[in-house]
Amino acid sequence: MIHFTSTQVEAIKSRDATGLNTGSWSSGTGKTDVAVQIISNLYHNFPNQRTLVSNSLSNQALNQLFDKIVALDIDERHLLRLGHGEEALETEKDFSRYGRVNYVLAKRLDLLMQVEKLQRSIKVEGDMAYTCETAGHFYLYQILSRWEHFLSIVKPKSGEKVPVGKVSEEFPFHEFFNDAPKPLFKGESYADDLEVAESCFRYIDHIFKELEEFRAFELLRSGLDRSKYLLVKEAKIIAMTCTHAALKEEELVEIDIIKKVTQKPTPGIDDIDGRVLKAVADIVSAPLAHIINISYSTGKYPDLLKVSRAIPIFKNKGSKQEVANYRNGDHHQLPPVIKNMAFQKYSNMEQSLFTRLVRLGIPTIDLDGQGRARPSICDLYKWRYKNLGNLSHVENWSEYQLANPGFVYDFQLVDVQDFNGVGESEPSPYFYQNLAEAEYCVAVFMFMCLLGYPASKITILTTYNGQKHLIRDVINTRCANNPLIGRPHKVTTVDKYQGQQNDYILLSLVRTKAVGHLRDVRRLVVAMSRARLGLYIFARVSLFKNCFELTPAFEQLTSRPTKLHLVLNEFYPTRRYNNQRPSVKPMVVQDMTHLANYVYTFYIERVKQLKQYYKQTEKKWHQPGDVEVHSHKGFVSSHPGEDRDTDSEDENEGKPMPVPIQDEPVEDDPMESQPASSQIVEEAQSETVQAMDTTETEAQDEEMEDGMEENVTDTGEAENDE
């Protein structure tokens, strides 16, 4: 378990106060977890208020936040995800409007079945579980009356002492809780038994409270009306992007979501009654927006308005405190995408609201400890932040201390030269591709999979859509359908992968003639901060090392050799520590073709090893009943739970007693602990090969060989998705 740092706790506490709160948080410092904790605190501390979760960057970042909210102890009927990114949530549940409506209707039926069970348990006639309305009457006239009678006996007003067994004797809902763990009342303490009875009634009371909330769904007949009611009344935590909020502004206003503010005569700092502002909202909104825009562009504000208060969009009656919209972010990462160049360059719309607030001097809480990457990888981008340090677990946990199997370094910049005289290519405008880097990335990916790396822990990133499609084409040709390799977790662009992470990142920078948009340091920070354990960058070193903006990162990258250094005969996982030099001389990869040829040879060798292992472990099929029965010569216990017996299926003859379990000794040389070539194959891989017959395997070998020989002509051109 990783505990919150003192800075994170300070950030969480600051959100409990009213007003505008901002936080400047770097990559890997836990901004998502802190934001989720803040939302959880607001949900539990202000149960009658509602929270809008808005993200201005992407659906992916919002979904990552929403997935963690779903995992908390928040009733899912209070969660709603608006926008087209809902289908990308990593959950089988549907959190869209209509998905939540269907959930409410199904939940309503389940609760009514509970009411019917309760009705039978207290032997009341009639159809009390027909609708939410009839269930409400049943609760009012049958349940509450019995509970009040019970309390009058176990909590007499006279204050006289009640026997311990009286609570169990008078409890009216024994039959309803028949499926609860027995005994329901232990009879050891009056206070304990009374607490059990009260908790049982809280469970019953919660059933009828939920049914009362669902009653409107019986009266509203159309799905549209039900979804609007869900948005306005039922959902407590609503997530959407700022883009979706802007596109659906008229619809949100039409269903009165923006104007759902309690009318109070108490004025704000402008001494204007809130009811007056609400009455003239349609008239004053445009002038106020113009004034605010001028204030942002000039940086000038009235002194009175420098004391700011953010009023939440969603607000119900009952609470005297206000819950602010919370904006968390990192202005050192990528800004919103503005496709109109005039707006981007001359209107400064590429600058996010969060960046504007930071530039205007709004106080921020800066998280200063990252818990994602190795300290060495963090050094590649920590220079961009003030006082960014490392949490203790990235220095102490074994996964961070051990080396990356098969690699000398945990991060490395690999120089990729032209292939057949061609570096970057541009099949269509701004659709940049680099075949040499694409083949290099895929070859390294295949090499890692052959060593035993899980493909789900490897992500291939690039800075251009054209290269993304080319890498996908190469993967489809080389290894996508190969059961020993498969596909990586994702192949996507740096911009799309913002807010996500993986253990190992292979990064292709594509360009060989000009630096391109990686000159934006914010994109470099995102690219360098996605990896946890290993980062391998493929680029034209002579081009990028001379870029002034990228100097702090590339000085560290070029301090190591720019040719890929591999450790042969080392498999995943390894026992070699990250600061420990390999016991064998590393293989220095000269270029892409060198690695591609080695991977092909290595692949053929691995397949042969699998075949050999399969033949050695193949057993003759015995017909049922033909197995010879042997008498047991060892120790036989008279009791099936005897400690001196063993559960091992590998019982050795001649040993009357099982051998005690001992720790395996750790050898000094990690390379000597590797199994022989005929024994290095894992059981999972042998099962895969068992499903392949010899003819199919040979055909795959020929296809692999043909693919390696034809890598010169594999342009991998794909349709531009821009």
Side-chain angles (χ1 to χ4, degrees), residues 394-412:
V394 301
E395 298 174 346
N396 301 328
W397 285 7
S398 60
E399 64 175 341
Y400 292 99
Q401 294 179 345
L402 295 177
N404 296 335
F407 295 92
V408 176
Y409 303 102
D410 51 4
F411 72 85
Q412 193 173 5

Side-chain angles (χ1 to χ4, degrees), residues 425-428 431 433 466 469-470 473 714-720:
S425 59
E426 192 177 6
S428 58
F431 197 72
Q433 296 181 336
H469 289 290
L470 178 57
D473 289 342
D714 182 17
T715 60
E717 295 182 4
E719 183 179 355
N720 191 345

Side-chain angles (χ1 to χ4, degrees), residues 75-192:
D75 196 327
E76 64 178 86
R77 78 179 192 274
H78 292 150
L79 297 174
L80 180 62
R81 172 68 167 92
L82 299 180
H84 294 294
E86 185 276 331
E87 60 271 11
L89 287 172
E90 296 183 358
T91 176
E92 296 180 355
K93 299 177 181 178
D94 187 356
F95 286 95
S96 64
R97 286 197 202 182
Y98 292 101
R100 291 297 85 193
V101 169
N102 292 334
Y103 167 79
V104 167
L105 296 178
K107 183 71 173 179
R108 167 185 165 273
L109 295 178
D110 292 340
L111 294 176
L112 289 176
M113 291 178 64
Q114 291 291 315
V115 173
E116 185 178 0
K117 176 183 176 183
L118 181 59
Q119 176 191 347
R120 292 196 304 267
S121 68
I122 61 176
K123 298 176 174 58
V124 174
E125 299 295 332
D127 194 357
M128 300 300 176
Y130 183 65
T131 64
C132 295
E133 182 179 4
T134 58
H137 292 301
F138 170 66
Y139 173 74
L140 182 62
Y141 295 109
Q142 300 293 339
I143 304 301
L144 275 182
S145 60
R146 284 170 169 77
W147 177 249
E148 290 172 354
H149 176 70
F150 168 76
L151 290 180
S152 66
I153 296 176
V154 299
K155 283 185 175 182
K157 294 182 179 180
S158 60
E160 62 184 30
K161 188 175 181 180
V162 178
V164 176
K166 199 69 172 177
V167 176
S168 176
E169 180 182 342
E170 297 294 334
F171 186 67
F173 308 116
H174 272 290
E175 187 176 342
F176 180 72
F177 290 99
N178 273 341
D179 52 355
K182 302 295 183 181
L184 188 61
F185 298 97
K186 296 182 179 179
E188 298 175 355
S189 168
Y190 165 79
D192 292 343

Side-chain angles (χ1 to χ4, degrees), residues 388-658:
L388 178 61
N390 301 303
L391 299 182
S392 59
H393 71 274
V394 301
E395 298 174 346
N396 301 328
W397 285 7
S398 60
E399 64 175 341
Y400 292 99
Q401 294 179 345
L402 295 177
N404 296 335
F407 295 92
V408 176
Y409 303 102
D410 51 4
F411 72 85
Q412 193 173 5
L413 174 64
V414 181
D415 186 28
V416 182
Q417 296 298 320
D418 293 349
F419 180 60
N420 289 343
V422 179
E424 71 174 61
S425 59
E426 192 177 6
S428 58
Y430 306 107
F431 197 72
Y432 294 103
Q433 296 181 336
N434 189 320
L435 181 59
E437 290 186 14
E439 292 279 9
Y440 216 142
C441 287
V442 176
V444 172
F445 165 70
M446 295 172 64
F447 171 74
M448 296 174 71
C449 290
L450 292 173
L451 293 184
Y453 282 85
S456 60
K457 293 182 178 292
I458 305 172
T459 294
I460 301 179
L461 299 181
T462 181
T463 48
Y464 290 92
N465 279 311
Q467 185 74 348
K468 173 188 71 175
H469 289 290
L470 178 57
I471 292 174
R472 289 176 179 176
D473 289 342
V474 175
I475 290 175
N476 290 335
T477 303
R478 298 277 180 262
C479 57
N481 298 321
N482 193 312
L484 294 182
I485 302 174
R487 302 176 184 272
H489 174 64
K490 276 188 180 179
V491 178
T492 185
T493 60
V494 172
D495 298 56
K496 284 288 187 181
Y497 207 64
Q498 183 171 208
Q500 303 178 62
Q501 64 183 29
N502 208 344
D503 287 358
Y504 307 97
I505 298 293
L506 309 180
L507 174 62
S508 170
L509 300 185
V510 185
R511 303 300 296 274
T512 59
K513 300 176 182 178
V515 174
H517 60 207
L518 191 68
R519 190 180 295 272
D520 188 339
V521 180
R522 295 170 296 185
R523 184 168 282 104
L524 175 73
V525 169
V526 175
M528 299 293 171
S529 60
R530 299 307 100 196
R532 294 181 63 248
L533 305 177
L535 174 65
Y536 302 96
I537 305 170
F538 304 88
R540 183 65 56 86
V541 175
S542 59
L543 173 67
F544 289 95
K545 74 176 183 179
N546 294 324
C547 179
F548 175 76
E549 291 85 352
L550 311 181
T551 300
F554 275 83
E555 280 184 349
Q556 300 179 57
L557 291 170
T558 53
S559 65
R560 296 182 174 183
T562 57
K563 290 186 181 296
L564 186 62
H565 283 50
L566 302 179
V567 181
L568 305 184
N569 298 324
E570 186 177 50
F571 295 90
Y572 180 92
T574 183
R575 295 183 180 179
R576 177 171 60 91
Y577 285 95
N578 194 32
N579 56 0
Q580 179 183 354
R581 302 296 297 179
S583 60
V584 297
K585 184 178 180 180
M587 184 185 87
V588 180
V589 179
Q590 300 301 322
D591 53 22
M592 179 269 293
T593 55
H594 181 197
L595 181 62
N597 291 329
Y598 172 77
V599 169
Y600 170 70
T601 305
F602 187 37
Y603 170 79
I604 298 300
E605 179 184 351
R606 293 285 283 175
V607 171
K608 290 180 180 178
Q609 292 171 355
L610 291 172
K611 291 180 181 178
Q612 182 180 3
Y613 184 80
Y614 171 70
K615 291 179 180 179
Q616 291 177 350
T617 58
E618 187 178 16
K619 297 181 180 179
K620 183 179 179 181
W621 168 254
H622 293 278
Q623 294 292 335
D626 292 346
V627 178
E628 184 178 356
V629 179
H630 298 277
S631 61
H632 191 84
K633 299 180 181 179
F635 171 78
V636 179
S637 171
S638 59
H639 191 279
E642 173 65 46
D643 290 338
R644 293 177 295 170
D645 202 358
T646 175
D647 285 334
S648 173
E649 297 181 4
D650 260 342
E651 297 178 345
N652 296 321
E653 294 182 1
K655 291 185 178 181
M657 297 290 290

Side-chain angles (χ1 to χ4, degrees), residues 265-380:
T266 307
I269 58 176
D270 50 12
D271 292 330
I272 301 176
D273 194 322
R275 294 173 296 181
V276 175
L277 285 177
K278 189 172 181 180
V280 297
D282 296 334
I283 302 174
V284 301
S285 58
L288 284 177
H290 180 66
I291 294 173
I292 293 173
N293 288 332
I294 293 177
S295 297
Y296 274 128
S297 61
T298 60
K300 297 179 180 179
Y301 297 86
D303 292 337
L304 191 61
L305 293 181
K306 289 183 179 179
V307 181
S308 60
R309 176 186 299 172
I311 300 177
I313 292 179
F314 306 104
K315 188 175 181 183
N316 292 333
K317 297 181 180 180
S319 177
K320 295 181 180 180
Q321 300 187 22
E322 299 177 27
V323 182
N325 285 327
Y326 297 96
R327 298 182 181 276
N328 305 318
D330 179 7
H331 56 294
H332 294 302
Q333 296 193 31
L334 292 174
V337 178
I338 308 299
K339 295 186 177 181
N340 187 294
M341 296 299 293
F343 287 156
Q344 177 183 352
K345 299 298 182 182
Y346 301 106
S347 299
N348 208 20
M349 291 186 67
E350 191 179 26
Q351 182 180 133
S352 66
L353 175 61
F354 183 82
T355 304
R356 295 183 184 185
L357 295 174
V358 173
R359 289 185 60 197
L360 291 172
I362 302 297
T364 62
I365 298 174
D366 300 334
L367 299 189
D368 54 2
Q370 70 89 22
R372 172 186 296 169
R374 296 182 190 267
S376 56
I377 297 178
C378 177
D379 290 340
L380 296 175

